[in-house]
Amino acid sequence: ESLPELPDFPPVYNGHFDRLVLVDTRVSLERQHELIGVDCRFDKNELPIHPDSAQLPSELAYWMQCQDGSRHLRVSEEGSLPLFHDFEIPCSAIEGLAMYAQDSRALRFGGSVMDLPSSLHPEWSSSYRVGLRLFCGKPQMLYSRIVNNDAPRGPATRGKIVG
């Protein structure tokens, strides 16, 4: 299957989202970790779930406009939700991997964590979210509790409209 055509995104996305990213869900999350070289800190039995499946695009491959978490840096997920615009939703684990794969500067802050709040732990979903971080210069994807607002972290978001 070929790559999707670039959609016409709403003009409001300009200036709000600084990245244009191609996401391909035809390759499993596990395989993408291997291909990109991201150390996955959870096993096959702990793959993330998406409680709001209505937010997941139906397309197997799609373009999204997004931001890497720096817009909401040092704001907890709960604290950032009121700051989200009505056209903005949290990114998933596979979207965060795509963002990092296409531009490693998405984790440009030493020790930063890109929170991917729409991907949750299958059993402890109320308190554990997926995050992508640099640790000793290497990218890791892990579950973390969001308890420290002083850490350089922020939730990555994308526009609701993808294509």
Side-chain angles (χ1 to χ4, degrees):
E1 194 173 310
S2 63
L3 295 178
E5 288 189 34
L6 196 60
D8 291 325
F9 289 109
V12 70
Y13 286 14
N14 299 332
H16 188 80
F17 300 116
D18 59 352
R19 298 176 181 280
L20 176 65
V21 173
L22 178 64
V23 179
D24 191 343
T25 64
R26 296 173 290 190
V27 179
S28 73
L29 186 64
E30 296 165 290
R31 182 72 176 129
Q32 287 196 30
H33 282 119
E34 295 170 14
L35 293 170
I36 299 166
V38 172
D39 180 25
C40 183
R41 307 302 291 180
F42 45 87
D43 63 31
K44 293 178 186 178
N45 299 323
E46 294 182 312
L47 289 177
I49 59 169
H50 305 279
D52 188 357
S53 58
Q55 290 185 357
L56 294 176
S58 59
E59 298 90 346
L60 296 176
Y62 56 92
W63 291 98
M64 67 174 185
Q65 281 191 288
C66 56
Q67 62 85 25
D68 60 16
S70 56
R71 175 173 288 282
H72 304 296
L73 197 61
R74 298 188 192 279
V75 179
S76 70
E77 178 192 347
E78 291 78 16
S80 66
L81 290 176
L83 304 176
F84 288 1
H85 294 275
D86 60 353
F87 57 82
E88 179 179 31
I89 60 174
C91 285
S92 68
I94 206 159
E95 291 168 341
L97 277 179
M99 199 182 316
Y100 176 76
Q102 292 167 52
D103 184 0
S104 63
R105 292 173 298 173
L107 293 176
R108 64 184 162 267
F109 306 105
S112 70
V113 177
M114 178 196 307
D115 288 321
L116 301 163
S118 73
S119 294
L120 311 176
H121 190 282
E123 293 178 23
W124 309 311
S125 60
S126 63
S127 56
Y128 286 87
R129 308 294 192 253
V130 171
L132 185 60
R133 71 174 183 177
L134 285 178
F135 183 73
C136 296
K138 305 236 183 215
Q140 287 184 335
M141 184 167 275
L142 69 161
Y143 286 111
S144 61
R145 268 186 99 153
I146 301 174
V147 294
N148 184 358
N149 293 346
D150 294 331
R153 64 187 309 147
T157 59
R158 67 166 171 85
K160 286 182 181 178
I161 296 173
V162 298

